[in-house]
Amino acid sequence: MHSRIELRDLELTVSIGTYGPGDVVPDRHLLDLTLAIDPSLVMIPEDRMDAVFDYDPLIARIDEIARTTPFETQERLMTLIVEACAACPEVEALEIALRKAPVLVGTGSLGVRLVMDGAGLAQLRHDQRV
């Protein structure tokens, strides 16, 4: 049995990149995030918030990260979001994708995706403690 929390198409209020005259400046940055969690946090015997993973504080943290700092790259924003996910002990693994649009002549989206398994997440948590 596996369980996932899935967040799709979250539009972030963020400034990413440096653009010159004539460059296409994206007007949307969309986040997809899938978090693997223990199935016992989904298959609950009673309808109680203390029995599930409360993802609202994580979403608020992601929003805070995005709004607080301008970024040169999508990758740095993703790194900080992954670190915020790692701070949640309930998260066992994750997949994150961040994409911007438009890319050319008002069309297209361009994104970066990272898949981190349990071992990678454990290593990140270990590195953050150092």
Side-chain angles (χ1 to χ4, degrees):
M1 187 179 334
H2 304 279
S3 57
R4 309 264 188 270
I5 302 282
E6 295 185 358
L7 175 64
R8 297 286 175 258
D9 300 320
L10 180 65
E11 190 165 339
L12 298 176
T13 302
V14 64
S15 174
I16 302 175
T18 304
Y19 299 95
D23 289 347
V24 176
V25 179
D27 59 16
R28 289 179 315 283
H29 295 276
L30 300 171
L31 175 68
D32 292 339
L33 184 63
T34 302
L35 306 174
I37 61 171
D38 191 290
S40 68
L41 297 171
V42 176
M43 297 294 297
I44 57 175
E46 296 177 35
D47 189 19
R48 297 185 349 259
M49 279 300 297
D50 64 351
V52 299
F53 171 57
D54 184 2
Y55 46 78
D56 289 330
L58 178 59
I59 293 172
R61 178 68 183 126
I62 290 168
D63 182 53
E64 177 186 16
I65 291 166
R67 288 176 184 270
T68 303
T69 307
F71 295 91
E72 282 294 314
T73 64
Q74 294 183 92
E75 290 83 353
R76 181 62 185 154
L77 174 57
M78 285 180 66
T79 298
L80 295 177
I81 293 171
V82 169
E83 289 174 352
C85 293
C88 301
E90 299 90 348
V91 176
E92 298 176 343
L94 63 86
E95 181 172 344
I96 182 172
L98 183 63
R99 64 190 183 284
K100 61 184 178 180
V103 178
L104 184 62
V105 194
T107 66
S109 66
L110 179 70
V112 179
R113 179 176 305 271
L114 173 73
V115 178
M116 184 171 287
D117 63 11
L121 199 55
Q123 183 64 49
L124 177 62
R125 287 175 173 139
H126 176 266
D127 293 348
Q128 285 180 327
R129 283 187 225 133
V130 176

